[in-house]
Amino acid sequence: MADSAPPAETRCGFVALIGAPNVGKSTLVNALVGSKVTIVSRKVQTTRALIRGIVIEGYSQIILVDTPGIFAPKRRLDRAMVTTAWSGAHDADLVCVLLDAKKGLDDEAEAILTRAASVAHEKILVVNKVDLVPREKLLALVAAANERLPFARTYLISALSGDGVDDLRRALAAMVPPGPFHYPEDQMSDAPMRQLAAEITREKIYQQLHQELPYQSTVETDSWTERKDGSIRIEQTIFVERESQRKIVLGKGGATIKSIGAEARKELADITGAPVHLFLFVKVRENWGDDPDRYREMGLEFPKE
């Protein structure tokens, strides 16, 4: 029997993408994952940030943690999102700090660089949208950013066109720590995405009805079907405690539920990278707020009193 070559060492790690809103993080995720992507979320009880894509590059598995855009928080939800973003950075193995080449070191970028200094992991500077500015301006931006915060490496990319993305992907594959893959290469249960989809719809309900419906609703994903045309059909039920709350969620002429569905559908389409058909139903489930199981499903600790 001929000797076989020893298996190559596998590497696997979490890479957090940190940046201001609209810096191009989602576009970069799509460019990095290509066709080798599995969308998952951590268990709801331990969610710190969304795992948007799993990239296989050679013998490495790169788990991209796409954090919410970092901005000056005004509302409670804003503060929670910013906290989630920085938690994702501290929990990851590597951190990619994204800057918009056109905006340069504006106030948002400066604040991110200042706070990123407290993150202990290796940091990579990724300047996006480089095709939109002259080379002299790019070089000055890179020099200024590295002076403000020493980066292990710097990459100039256009996530939209794909320029420089392959180099970044190969670098991340080499920099994640040695170890076994965390997720299967070929398949992944859709159960985590069902939970994430419910969380997204629930968040949209609170955004629109937080005064009229304070935490008195829960969402369950009844079905998740990937159709032949590449789209995804999702059916969800919104449970409330009283008929009066059901009318609030529906709104006049169904306007509120349509708006909630449109917002949730847009975010789900962004996350999955596929067209989403979302169907929402509203039902009354009395006293669900006293049911510990409902709280656990939402990742909340059941209050004893």
Short mmCIF file of all heavy atoms in Angstrom, two decimals, residues 238-290:
data_model
loop_
_atom_site.label_atom_id
_atom_site.label_comp_id
_atom_site.label_asym_id
_atom_site.label_seq_id
_atom_site.Cartn_x
_atom_site.Cartn_y
_atom_site.Cartn_z
N ILE A 238 -46.90 35.62 14.90
CA ILE A 238 -46.68 36.57 15.99
C ILE A 238 -47.74 36.30 17.05
O ILE A 238 -48.94 36.36 16.77
CB ILE A 238 -46.79 38.02 15.50
CG1 ILE A 238 -45.76 38.29 14.39
CG2 ILE A 238 -46.61 39.01 16.65
CD1 ILE A 238 -46.01 39.57 13.62
N PHE A 239 -47.29 35.96 18.25
CA PHE A 239 -48.23 35.67 19.33
C PHE A 239 -48.31 36.87 20.28
O PHE A 239 -47.27 37.42 20.69
CB PHE A 239 -47.78 34.44 20.13
CG PHE A 239 -47.92 33.15 19.37
CD1 PHE A 239 -46.81 32.56 18.77
CD2 PHE A 239 -49.15 32.54 19.23
CE1 PHE A 239 -46.93 31.36 18.07
CE2 PHE A 239 -49.29 31.35 18.53
CZ PHE A 239 -48.18 30.77 17.95
N VAL A 240 -49.55 37.26 20.60
CA VAL A 240 -49.78 38.31 21.58
C VAL A 240 -50.71 37.75 22.66
O VAL A 240 -51.23 36.64 22.53
CB VAL A 240 -50.41 39.56 20.93
CG1 VAL A 240 -49.43 40.21 19.96
CG2 VAL A 240 -51.71 39.20 20.21
N GLU A 241 -50.91 38.51 23.74
CA GLU A 241 -51.68 37.99 24.87
C GLU A 241 -53.17 38.30 24.81
O GLU A 241 -53.97 37.61 25.41
CB GLU A 241 -51.10 38.53 26.18
CG GLU A 241 -49.73 37.98 26.52
CD GLU A 241 -49.30 38.37 27.92
OE1 GLU A 241 -49.26 39.58 28.20
OE2 GLU A 241 -49.04 37.47 28.73
N ARG A 242 -53.54 39.38 24.10
CA ARG A 242 -54.94 39.79 24.07
C ARG A 242 -55.36 40.21 22.67
O ARG A 242 -54.52 40.60 21.85
CB ARG A 242 -55.17 40.96 25.04
CG ARG A 242 -54.95 40.59 26.50
CD ARG A 242 -55.35 41.73 27.42
NE ARG A 242 -54.48 42.90 27.26
CZ ARG A 242 -53.29 43.03 27.85
NH1 ARG A 242 -52.84 42.06 28.64
NH2 ARG A 242 -52.58 44.10 27.67
N GLU A 243 -56.65 40.17 22.41
CA GLU A 243 -57.19 40.56 21.11
C GLU A 243 -56.88 42.02 20.80
O GLU A 243 -56.60 42.38 19.64
CB GLU A 243 -58.71 40.33 21.08
CG GLU A 243 -59.39 40.74 19.78
CD GLU A 243 -58.89 39.97 18.56
OE1 GLU A 243 -58.43 38.82 18.72
OE2 GLU A 243 -58.97 40.54 17.45
N SER A 244 -56.89 42.87 21.82
CA SER A 244 -56.57 44.29 21.60
C SER A 244 -55.15 44.46 21.07
O SER A 244 -54.88 45.34 20.24
CB SER A 244 -56.75 45.08 22.89
OG SER A 244 -55.88 44.58 23.91
N GLN A 245 -54.23 43.60 21.53
CA GLN A 245 -52.85 43.67 21.05
C GLN A 245 -52.76 43.16 19.61
O GLN A 245 -51.97 43.68 18.82
CB GLN A 245 -51.94 42.84 21.96
CG GLN A 245 -51.84 43.41 23.37
CD GLN A 245 -51.14 42.46 24.32
OE1 GLN A 245 -50.91 41.29 24.00
NE2 GLN A 245 -50.80 42.95 25.50
N ARG A 246 -53.55 42.17 19.28
CA ARG A 246 -53.57 41.66 17.90
C ARG A 246 -53.97 42.78 16.93
O ARG A 246 -53.37 42.92 15.86
CB ARG A 246 -54.53 40.49 17.78
CG ARG A 246 -54.40 39.71 16.47
CD ARG A 246 -55.36 38.53 16.43
NE ARG A 246 -56.69 38.96 16.03
CZ ARG A 246 -57.12 39.03 14.76
NH1 ARG A 246 -56.32 38.67 13.78
NH2 ARG A 246 -58.34 39.43 14.49
N LYS A 247 -54.95 43.60 17.33
CA LYS A 247 -55.39 44.70 16.47
C LYS A 247 -54.29 45.76 16.32
O LYS A 247 -54.14 46.35 15.26
CB LYS A 247 -56.66 45.33 17.05
CG LYS A 247 -57.88 44.41 16.95
CD LYS A 247 -59.11 45.04 17.59
CE LYS A 247 -60.32 44.10 17.46
NZ LYS A 247 -61.51 44.66 18.15
N ILE A 248 -53.52 45.96 17.40
CA ILE A 248 -52.41 46.93 17.32
C ILE A 248 -51.36 46.46 16.32
O ILE A 248 -50.86 47.23 15.51
CB ILE A 248 -51.78 47.11 18.73
CG1 ILE A 248 -52.74 47.87 19.64
CG2 ILE A 248 -50.45 47.86 18.62
CD1 ILE A 248 -52.28 47.95 21.09
N VAL A 249 -51.01 45.16 16.38
CA VAL A 249 -50.00 44.62 15.47
C VAL A 249 -50.48 44.68 14.02
O VAL A 249 -49.71 44.99 13.11
CB VAL A 249 -49.61 43.18 15.86
CG1 VAL A 249 -48.65 42.58 14.85
CG2 VAL A 249 -48.98 43.16 17.25
N LEU A 250 -51.75 44.38 13.80
CA LEU A 250 -52.29 44.42 12.44
C LEU A 250 -52.34 45.85 11.91
O LEU A 250 -51.97 46.11 10.76
CB LEU A 250 -53.69 43.80 12.41
CG LEU A 250 -53.76 42.29 12.61
CD1 LEU A 250 -55.21 41.84 12.73
CD2 LEU A 250 -53.08 41.55 11.46
N GLY A 251 -52.78 46.79 12.74
CA GLY A 251 -52.89 48.17 12.31
C GLY A 251 -54.11 48.40 11.43
O GLY A 251 -54.76 47.45 10.99
N LYS A 252 -54.38 49.65 11.16
CA LYS A 252 -55.54 50.00 10.34
C LYS A 252 -55.37 49.48 8.93
O LYS A 252 -54.41 49.80 8.24
CB LYS A 252 -55.73 51.52 10.34
CG LYS A 252 -57.04 51.96 9.68
CD LYS A 252 -57.25 53.45 9.82
CE LYS A 252 -58.57 53.86 9.19
NZ LYS A 252 -58.81 55.33 9.34
N GLY A 253 -56.32 48.64 8.51
CA GLY A 253 -56.23 48.08 7.16
C GLY A 253 -55.03 47.18 6.95
O GLY A 253 -54.62 46.94 5.81
N GLY A 254 -54.45 46.69 8.05
CA GLY A 254 -53.27 45.82 7.94
C GLY A 254 -51.98 46.56 7.65
O GLY A 254 -50.96 45.94 7.32
N ALA A 255 -51.99 47.90 7.81
CA ALA A 255 -50.81 48.70 7.44
C ALA A 255 -49.60 48.40 8.31
O ALA A 255 -48.47 48.34 7.83
CB ALA A 255 -51.16 50.19 7.53
N THR A 256 -49.83 48.19 9.62
CA THR A 256 -48.69 47.98 10.53
C THR A 256 -48.01 46.65 10.25
O THR A 256 -46.77 46.58 10.17
CB THR A 256 -49.16 48.05 11.99
OG1 THR A 256 -49.80 49.30 12.22
CG2 THR A 256 -47.97 47.91 12.94
N ILE A 257 -48.79 45.59 10.10
CA ILE A 257 -48.19 44.28 9.85
C ILE A 257 -47.47 44.26 8.51
O ILE A 257 -46.42 43.61 8.36
CB ILE A 257 -49.27 43.16 9.93
CG1 ILE A 257 -48.61 41.78 9.97
CG2 ILE A 257 -50.24 43.23 8.78
CD1 ILE A 257 -47.92 41.47 11.25
N LYS A 258 -47.98 45.00 7.53
CA LYS A 258 -47.30 45.08 6.23
C LYS A 258 -45.95 45.77 6.36
O LYS A 258 -44.96 45.34 5.77
CB LYS A 258 -48.18 45.84 5.22
CG LYS A 258 -49.37 45.03 4.71
CD LYS A 258 -50.21 45.87 3.74
CE LYS A 258 -51.46 45.10 3.30
NZ LYS A 258 -52.35 45.96 2.47
N SER A 259 -45.92 46.84 7.15
CA SER A 259 -44.67 47.57 7.35
C SER A 259 -43.65 46.73 8.11
O SER A 259 -42.46 46.69 7.75
CB SER A 259 -44.96 48.86 8.12
OG SER A 259 -43.77 49.56 8.38
N ILE A 260 -44.11 46.03 9.15
CA ILE A 260 -43.23 45.13 9.91
C ILE A 260 -42.66 44.05 8.98
O ILE A 260 -41.47 43.76 8.98
CB ILE A 260 -43.99 44.49 11.09
CG1 ILE A 260 -44.31 45.55 12.14
CG2 ILE A 260 -43.20 43.34 11.70
CD1 ILE A 260 -45.31 45.11 13.19
N GLY A 261 -43.55 43.46 8.17
CA GLY A 261 -43.12 42.41 7.24
C GLY A 261 -42.12 42.90 6.22
O GLY A 261 -41.15 42.22 5.90
N ALA A 262 -42.33 44.12 5.71
CA ALA A 262 -41.42 44.67 4.70
C ALA A 262 -40.03 44.90 5.28
O ALA A 262 -39.01 44.58 4.65
CB ALA A 262 -41.99 45.98 4.15
N GLU A 263 -39.96 45.43 6.51
CA GLU A 263 -38.66 45.67 7.15
C GLU A 263 -37.95 44.36 7.45
O GLU A 263 -36.74 44.22 7.22
CB GLU A 263 -38.87 46.47 8.44
CG GLU A 263 -39.27 47.91 8.23
CD GLU A 263 -38.16 48.73 7.60
OE1 GLU A 263 -37.00 48.60 8.05
OE2 GLU A 263 -38.45 49.48 6.65
N ALA A 264 -38.69 43.39 7.98
CA ALA A 264 -38.08 42.09 8.31
C ALA A 264 -37.63 41.38 7.03
O ALA A 264 -36.54 40.79 7.00
CB ALA A 264 -39.08 41.23 9.07
N ARG A 265 -38.45 41.44 6.00
CA ARG A 265 -38.11 40.77 4.74
C ARG A 265 -36.83 41.36 4.13
O ARG A 265 -35.97 40.63 3.64
CB ARG A 265 -39.27 40.90 3.76
CG ARG A 265 -39.04 40.22 2.41
CD ARG A 265 -40.32 40.12 1.62
NE ARG A 265 -41.00 41.40 1.48
CZ ARG A 265 -42.16 41.72 2.05
NH1 ARG A 265 -42.77 40.85 2.83
NH2 ARG A 265 -42.70 42.91 1.86
N LYS A 266 -36.69 42.68 4.19
CA LYS A 266 -35.50 43.33 3.65
C LYS A 266 -34.24 42.88 4.37
O LYS A 266 -33.23 42.55 3.75
CB LYS A 266 -35.65 44.85 3.75
CG LYS A 266 -34.48 45.65 3.19
CD LYS A 266 -34.74 47.14 3.31
CE LYS A 266 -33.59 47.93 2.70
NZ LYS A 266 -32.31 47.71 3.40
N GLU A 267 -34.30 42.85 5.71
CA GLU A 267 -33.12 42.45 6.47
C GLU A 267 -32.79 40.97 6.25
O GLU A 267 -31.62 40.60 6.13
CB GLU A 267 -33.33 42.73 7.96
CG GLU A 267 -32.09 42.45 8.79
CD GLU A 267 -32.10 43.14 10.13
OE1 GLU A 267 -32.84 44.13 10.30
OE2 GLU A 267 -31.38 42.68 11.03
N LEU A 268 -33.80 40.12 6.18
CA LEU A 268 -33.57 38.70 5.93
C LEU A 268 -32.98 38.47 4.55
O LEU A 268 -32.11 37.61 4.37
CB LEU A 268 -34.88 37.92 6.08
CG LEU A 268 -35.31 37.66 7.53
CD1 LEU A 268 -36.77 37.24 7.59
CD2 LEU A 268 -34.42 36.61 8.18
N ALA A 269 -33.43 39.23 3.57
CA ALA A 269 -32.86 39.11 2.22
C ALA A 269 -31.40 39.54 2.22
O ALA A 269 -30.55 38.92 1.56
CB ALA A 269 -33.67 39.95 1.23
N ASP A 270 -31.07 40.61 2.98
CA ASP A 270 -29.68 41.06 3.07
C ASP A 270 -28.81 39.98 3.71
O ASP A 270 -27.68 39.72 3.28
CB ASP A 270 -29.59 42.34 3.90
CG ASP A 270 -30.13 43.56 3.17
OD1 ASP A 270 -30.27 43.48 1.93
OD2 ASP A 270 -30.41 44.57 3.83
N ILE A 271 -29.33 39.33 4.75
CA ILE A 271 -28.55 38.34 5.48
C ILE A 271 -28.36 37.06 4.67
O ILE A 271 -27.27 36.49 4.62
CB ILE A 271 -29.23 38.02 6.83
CG1 ILE A 271 -29.04 39.19 7.78
CG2 ILE A 271 -28.65 36.75 7.46
CD1 ILE A 271 -29.79 39.05 9.08
N THR A 272 -29.43 36.60 4.02
CA THR A 272 -29.35 35.33 3.30
C THR A 272 -28.80 35.50 1.89
O THR A 272 -28.34 34.54 1.28
CB THR A 272 -30.74 34.68 3.19
OG1 THR A 272 -31.63 35.57 2.49
CG2 THR A 272 -31.30 34.37 4.55
N GLY A 273 -28.84 36.73 1.37
CA GLY A 273 -28.40 36.95 -0.01
C GLY A 273 -29.34 36.36 -1.03
O GLY A 273 -28.94 36.06 -2.15
N ALA A 274 -30.60 36.17 -0.65
CA ALA A 274 -31.59 35.57 -1.56
C ALA A 274 -32.92 36.31 -1.42
O ALA A 274 -33.19 36.91 -0.38
CB ALA A 274 -31.79 34.09 -1.21
N PRO A 275 -33.74 36.29 -2.46
CA PRO A 275 -35.08 36.88 -2.33
C PRO A 275 -35.87 36.14 -1.25
O PRO A 275 -35.80 34.92 -1.15
CB PRO A 275 -35.71 36.66 -3.72
CG PRO A 275 -34.56 36.43 -4.64
CD PRO A 275 -33.50 35.74 -3.82
N VAL A 276 -36.61 36.88 -0.45
CA VAL A 276 -37.36 36.29 0.66
C VAL A 276 -38.85 36.61 0.50
O VAL A 276 -39.22 37.76 0.25
CB VAL A 276 -36.85 36.82 2.02
CG1 VAL A 276 -37.78 36.41 3.15
CG2 VAL A 276 -35.44 36.29 2.30
N HIS A 277 -39.68 35.58 0.63
CA HIS A 277 -41.13 35.75 0.67
C HIS A 277 -41.55 35.47 2.11
O HIS A 277 -41.48 34.33 2.58
CB HIS A 277 -41.82 34.78 -0.29
CG HIS A 277 -41.26 34.82 -1.69
ND1 HIS A 277 -41.59 35.81 -2.58
CD2 HIS A 277 -40.37 34.01 -2.32
CE1 HIS A 277 -40.93 35.61 -3.72
NE2 HIS A 277 -40.18 34.53 -3.58
N LEU A 278 -41.97 36.52 2.82
CA LEU A 278 -42.28 36.40 4.25
C LEU A 278 -43.78 36.56 4.47
O LEU A 278 -44.38 37.55 4.04
CB LEU A 278 -41.52 37.47 5.04
CG LEU A 278 -41.75 37.51 6.55
CD1 LEU A 278 -41.32 36.22 7.22
CD2 LEU A 278 -41.01 38.70 7.16
N PHE A 279 -44.37 35.59 5.14
CA PHE A 279 -45.80 35.62 5.44
C PHE A 279 -45.98 35.63 6.96
O PHE A 279 -45.52 34.73 7.65
CB PHE A 279 -46.50 34.39 4.83
CG PHE A 279 -46.38 34.34 3.33
CD1 PHE A 279 -45.28 33.74 2.72
CD2 PHE A 279 -47.35 34.92 2.52
CE1 PHE A 279 -45.16 33.70 1.34
CE2 PHE A 279 -47.24 34.88 1.14
CZ PHE A 279 -46.14 34.27 0.54
N LEU A 280 -46.65 36.68 7.45
CA LEU A 280 -46.84 36.86 8.89
C LEU A 280 -48.30 36.66 9.29
O LEU A 280 -49.21 37.14 8.61
CB LEU A 280 -46.39 38.27 9.31
CG LEU A 280 -44.92 38.63 9.08
CD1 LEU A 280 -44.65 40.06 9.53
CD2 LEU A 280 -43.99 37.66 9.80
N PHE A 281 -48.50 35.95 10.39
CA PHE A 281 -49.83 35.74 10.95
C PHE A 281 -49.81 36.18 12.41
O PHE A 281 -48.78 36.05 13.08
CB PHE A 281 -50.23 34.26 10.86
CG PHE A 281 -50.08 33.68 9.46
CD1 PHE A 281 -48.89 33.07 9.06
CD2 PHE A 281 -51.12 33.78 8.55
CE1 PHE A 281 -48.75 32.55 7.79
CE2 PHE A 281 -50.99 33.26 7.27
CZ PHE A 281 -49.80 32.65 6.89
N VAL A 282 -50.91 36.71 12.89
CA VAL A 282 -50.98 37.18 14.27
C VAL A 282 -52.06 36.40 15.01
O VAL A 282 -53.20 36.34 14.57
CB VAL A 282 -51.30 38.69 14.34
CG1 VAL A 282 -51.18 39.19 15.78
CG2 VAL A 282 -50.37 39.48 13.43
N LYS A 283 -51.67 35.80 16.14
CA LYS A 283 -52.61 35.01 16.93
C LYS A 283 -52.52 35.40 18.40
O LYS A 283 -51.48 35.87 18.88
CB LYS A 283 -52.31 33.51 16.79
CG LYS A 283 -52.52 32.96 15.38
CD LYS A 283 -52.23 31.47 15.34
CE LYS A 283 -52.42 30.91 13.93
NZ LYS A 283 -52.12 29.46 13.87
N VAL A 284 -53.61 35.18 19.11
CA VAL A 284 -53.65 35.45 20.55
C VAL A 284 -53.27 34.17 21.30
O VAL A 284 -53.83 33.11 21.06
CB VAL A 284 -55.06 35.91 20.98
CG1 VAL A 284 -55.10 36.10 22.50
CG2 VAL A 284 -55.43 37.21 20.27
N ARG A 285 -52.28 34.29 22.17
CA ARG A 285 -51.90 33.18 23.06
C ARG A 285 -51.88 33.76 24.47
O ARG A 285 -50.93 34.45 24.86
CB ARG A 285 -50.53 32.62 22.68
CG ARG A 285 -50.05 31.50 23.61
CD ARG A 285 -48.60 31.16 23.36
NE ARG A 285 -48.43 30.20 22.30
CZ ARG A 285 -47.27 29.94 21.69
NH1 ARG A 285 -46.19 30.62 22.04
NH2 ARG A 285 -47.18 29.04 20.74
N GLU A 286 -52.93 33.51 25.21
CA GLU A 286 -53.08 34.14 26.52
C GLU A 286 -51.97 33.71 27.48
O GLU A 286 -51.56 32.56 27.52
CB GLU A 286 -54.45 33.80 27.11
CG GLU A 286 -55.62 34.43 26.35
CD GLU A 286 -56.94 34.17 27.02
OE1 GLU A 286 -56.94 33.55 28.11
OE2 GLU A 286 -57.97 34.58 26.46
N ASN A 287 -51.50 34.71 28.23
CA ASN A 287 -50.54 34.49 29.33
C ASN A 287 -49.21 33.88 28.87
O ASN A 287 -48.55 33.22 29.66
CB ASN A 287 -51.16 33.60 30.43
CG ASN A 287 -52.41 34.22 31.02
OD1 ASN A 287 -52.45 35.43 31.23
ND2 ASN A 287 -53.41 33.40 31.27
N TRP A 288 -48.85 34.12 27.61
CA TRP A 288 -47.55 33.58 27.19
C TRP A 288 -46.41 34.22 27.99
O TRP A 288 -45.35 33.62 28.19
CB TRP A 288 -47.32 33.76 25.69
CG TRP A 288 -46.90 35.15 25.29
CD1 TRP A 288 -47.68 36.14 24.77
CD2 TRP A 288 -45.59 35.72 25.37
NE1 TRP A 288 -46.96 37.27 24.54
CE2 TRP A 288 -45.66 37.05 24.91
CE3 TRP A 288 -44.35 35.24 25.82
CZ2 TRP A 288 -44.57 37.90 24.87
CZ3 TRP A 288 -43.25 36.09 25.77
CH2 TRP A 288 -43.36 37.40 25.30
N GLY A 289 -46.66 35.43 28.50
CA GLY A 289 -45.64 36.13 29.27
C GLY A 289 -45.31 35.45 30.58
O GLY A 289 -44.32 35.81 31.24
N ASP A 290 -46.14 34.47 31.00
CA ASP A 290 -45.86 33.72 32.22
C ASP A 290 -45.21 32.37 31.92
O ASP A 290 -45.04 31.55 32.82
CB ASP A 290 -47.15 33.49 33.01
CG ASP A 290 -47.77 34.80 33.48
OD1 ASP A 290 -46.99 35.72 33.81
OD2 ASP A 290 -49.01 34.90 33.51
#
